[in-house]
Amino acid sequence: MSDAETPPETEFDPVAPNTGEEFEPVDVFPDSDDFDLRPGADSCFKCSTCDTNCPVAEVDDDFPGPKFQGPEQWRLKQSDDDHEIDDSVMDCSNCMRCDNACPSGVPLSQMHNTARGEYVSEQMDKLSVEYIRNRILANYRTSAFFASKVPRLANFAMNFGPARWVMEKTLGVTSERDFPEFAKQTFREWWADRGGQVQSRENAKAARKRRGLPEDADKKVAYFHGCYSNYNTPEVGKAMVRVYEEFGYEVVAPEQKCSGTPMFANGMLDDARRHAETNVSSMSELVDEGYHAIASCTSCSMALRQEYPELFDIDGIDKVAENTFEAVEYLRIHEDLKGEVQAADVDGDLAEEFAYHAPCHSRNQGLDRQAVELFRDLDGAEVKDVGDSCSGISGTYGWKEEKYEKSMEIGEEMFEHMEHAEGETGMTECPTCAMQMEHGSGYEIRHPLELLEAALVE
């Protein structure tokens, strides 16, 4: 044995290290009343798939992309109280393709909407031309309400050359586009003149009798028509009502405001919340009575299904989200819609080959192929997909003078596919995509519900 002394035994406790002072863990992400986005940020492993799928990043070299606007900016904001939201968040078009592209399920659009709302609320100059312009565009429903009172005058004034020039120079609203016409009779005016819910109930009962269904069958839906189908294209709303009644559904058109989609895109979250409160209140009551919420616009259904519960804490909001459907989607789920279409045919104005564009918000709901597949066997009409690119307009994005050229560059691929299609009529579920399709191709644009009406309703 060695003559060296054996060192004295010491106690070793790895659970309680001797740091010399009391240990206090660092709270990197303090408690907050806001929605918890940390799990989503932690799920991002910076693969940049969102950036490569972003249509804005593809044409705008100065735009840092969804990854920066989402998890990276969120982390910076959480770790530095003085960090300001980068103003490039206003260049995001809110197409939400990044949500669909992310392999990790990061809530990118929720992060973008949250950051954009904070930027507008806390950093944007409320007297700036950009803020005023964005506020007007985001609150289209207000402008449309007044325009609908004098539609002929509004249609002339909104597309009068000198007035458009002034709007571009003073507000930054592009003069390159034609403003959509306001209908001489809104959908809600038609609905009231027709007899509203009472008449719909009678029509539904008659249809059930023809189909051999119980006249008291519990088939009823609440129609969220949105702003555009009310003020600009009431023919879409009429087609929706008639198609649903043909299947024996009683339709109601409850009190409603804008879905909030243009407000999300412009960071006007306070405005969006006020509208959402009305929509959720009226729709949740009807859901309790057994109704499902149906939207003919895919951006409206996306707002009620996804953006509302992501951004707002309103009583009944989850219930409404769970019971909201896009109009054609609902019939595909609950009826033999494909069988009915296969047995039908169309002639006249809608005996066409349609160039169909699936809106980005349709893709996010998994509905991008439904029109093509549904009408595949319809005699007298053919629907061809014009590719999976973004149309480029993204609601109000393409109406901004500084964004117009970028929106047209994004839409180039779609325009080329439309040009090579045999027909000269377009089809889409999104009203602003329809604007872009018409603007870039000169084609007339129809909604799938209009083709369904022509095929199924006598």
Side-chain angles (χ1 to χ4, degrees):
M1 280 186 72
S2 167
D3 293 331
E5 295 183 3
T6 303
E9 292 185 3
T10 58
E11 292 185 1
F12 174 64
D13 187 351
V15 177
N18 182 13
T19 62
E21 58 184 0
E22 185 177 350
F23 174 69
E24 293 184 3
V26 177
D27 190 1
V28 179
F29 300 106
D31 292 337
S32 170
D33 293 332
D34 296 334
F35 287 91
D36 184 10
L37 296 176
R38 182 179 181 180
D42 289 348
S43 296
C44 174
F45 52 88
K46 301 186 178 182
C47 68
S48 297
T49 300
C50 57
D51 290 343
T52 58
N53 280 271
C54 174
V56 175
E58 187 174 351
V59 301
D60 186 351
D61 292 337
D62 294 328
F63 182 60
K67 177 160 61 81
F68 172 77
Q69 301 297 353
E72 291 184 4
Q73 188 145 241
W74 185 85
R75 293 188 192 106
L76 288 170
K77 187 65 179 175
Q78 299 305 308
S79 58
D80 181 1
D81 290 338
D82 295 327
H83 174 75
E84 292 192 337
I85 302 296
D86 192 86
D87 61 3
S88 62
V89 74
M90 298 304 293
D91 293 329
C92 166
S93 69
N94 200 39
C95 71
M96 301 170 73
R97 290 174 77 94
C98 50
D99 279 354
N100 211 33
C102 179
S104 301
V106 176
L108 289 154
S109 64
Q110 183 183 13
M111 291 178 165
H112 300 161
N113 280 328
T114 302
R116 192 161 41 242
E118 184 173 339
Y119 174 81
V120 169
S121 175
E122 299 182 10
Q123 296 172 224
M124 201 173 196
D125 180 2
K126 304 304 184 294
L127 297 178
S128 67
V129 171
E130 181 184 8
Y131 178 84
I132 295 169
R133 186 268 314 273
N134 291 358
R135 190 80 187 272
I136 293 171
L137 290 176
N139 286 274
Y140 174 75
R141 181 179 183 273
T142 301
S143 304
F145 171 80
F146 289 109
S148 70
K149 303 304 178 186
V150 284
R152 290 181 178 85
L153 176 61
N155 291 335
F156 172 77
M158 296 299 281
N159 285 300
F160 182 53
R164 297 301 310 282
W165 182 86
V166 170
M167 288 178 68
E168 180 171 289
K169 297 305 178 185
T170 59
L171 288 174
V173 177
T174 181
S175 61
E176 296 292 332
R177 298 184 186 277
D178 291 331
F179 270 98
E181 287 195 357
F182 295 99
K184 294 178 179 62
Q185 183 188 46
T186 68
F187 168 78
R188 294 195 75 91
E189 288 169 348
W190 171 83
W191 174 255
D193 289 348
R194 184 177 184 255
Q197 181 182 356
V198 174
Q199 184 60 52
S200 183
R201 183 181 298 120
E202 293 304 313
N203 293 347
K205 284 183 178 179
R208 292 173 201 154
K209 186 175 181 179
R210 288 196 308 271
R211 289 171 170 266
L213 300 173
E215 289 190 31
D216 59 350
D218 189 22
K219 301 180 75 171
K220 50 191 181 181
V221 295
Y223 180 32
F224 189 89
H225 49 70
C227 305
Y228 205 78
S229 287
N230 186 39
Y231 296 112
N232 301 92
T233 56
E235 61 272 13
V236 173
K238 295 174 187 179
M240 184 276 172
V241 170
R242 290 168 179 151
V243 168
Y244 268 73
E245 288 176 349
E246 176 64 25
F247 281 97
Y249 287 91
E250 173 191 330
V251 180
V252 297
E255 178 189 4
Q256 57 191 265
K257 293 186 176 179
C258 178
S259 68
T261 299
M263 300 168 193
F264 298 142
N266 288 282
M268 310 290 177
L269 295 190
D270 289 341
D271 290 352
R273 183 183 180 91
R274 284 193 292 272
H275 287 247
E277 286 171 348
T278 297
N279 297 334
V280 170
S281 175
S282 61
M283 286 294 180
S284 63
E285 290 179 5
L286 288 167
V287 169
D288 287 340
E289 295 174 21
Y291 289 82
H292 288 111
I294 307 298
S296 51
C297 168
T298 47
S299 292
C300 291
S301 60
M302 172 64 77
L304 270 65
R305 277 174 147 171
Q306 177 175 324
E307 289 170 301
Y308 278 17
E310 283 184 345
L311 297 170
F312 306 129
D313 185 13
I314 302 172
D315 186 42
I317 204 164
D318 291 327
K319 180 168 51 182
V320 171
E322 292 166 4
N323 288 278
T324 295
F325 300 84
E326 188 273 333
V328 177
E329 172 197 24
Y330 186 84
L331 292 177
R332 288 175 62 228
I333 293 171
H334 295 278
E335 306 293 336
D336 181 19
L337 186 59
K338 190 169 183 63
E340 299 255 358
V341 169
Q342 286 174 339
D345 60 69
V346 293
D347 53 23
D349 292 344
L350 289 178
E352 296 269 2
E353 179 172 312
F354 295 88
Y356 172 74
H357 167 73
C360 295
H361 292 174
S362 171
R363 296 178 185 281
N364 275 63
Q365 298 170 81
L367 306 176
D368 47 306
R369 292 287 299 172
Q370 74 169 1
V372 175
E373 294 172 358
L374 176 61
F375 296 121
R376 180 176 291 150
D377 298 319
L378 176 61
D379 287 342
E382 190 173 1
V383 177
K384 294 289 188 180
D385 196 336
V386 294
D388 63 356
S389 63
C390 176
S391 75
I393 192 170
S394 293
T396 63
Y397 178 87
W399 280 94
K400 299 171 182 178
E401 186 272 334
E402 73 277 13
K403 303 287 198 303
Y404 172 75
E405 292 297 338
K406 295 184 180 71
S407 78
M408 294 302 288
E409 190 175 347
I410 293 170
E412 258 182 34
E413 182 180 336
M414 181 188 71
F415 300 144
E416 290 176 6
H417 284 296
M418 291 183 70
E419 185 178 349
H420 293 138
E422 290 185 16
E424 294 187 357
T425 304
M427 176 179 285
T428 190
E429 296 92 341
C430 172
T432 54
C433 287
M435 292 180 203
Q436 180 82 327
M437 294 169 76
E438 182 179 4
H439 180 63
S441 69
Y443 290 3
E444 181 184 12
I445 312 300
R446 309 301 287 262
H447 192 287
L449 283 168
E450 294 180 86
L451 184 54
L452 270 181
E453 180 188 20
L456 302 180
V457 181
E458 296 181 0

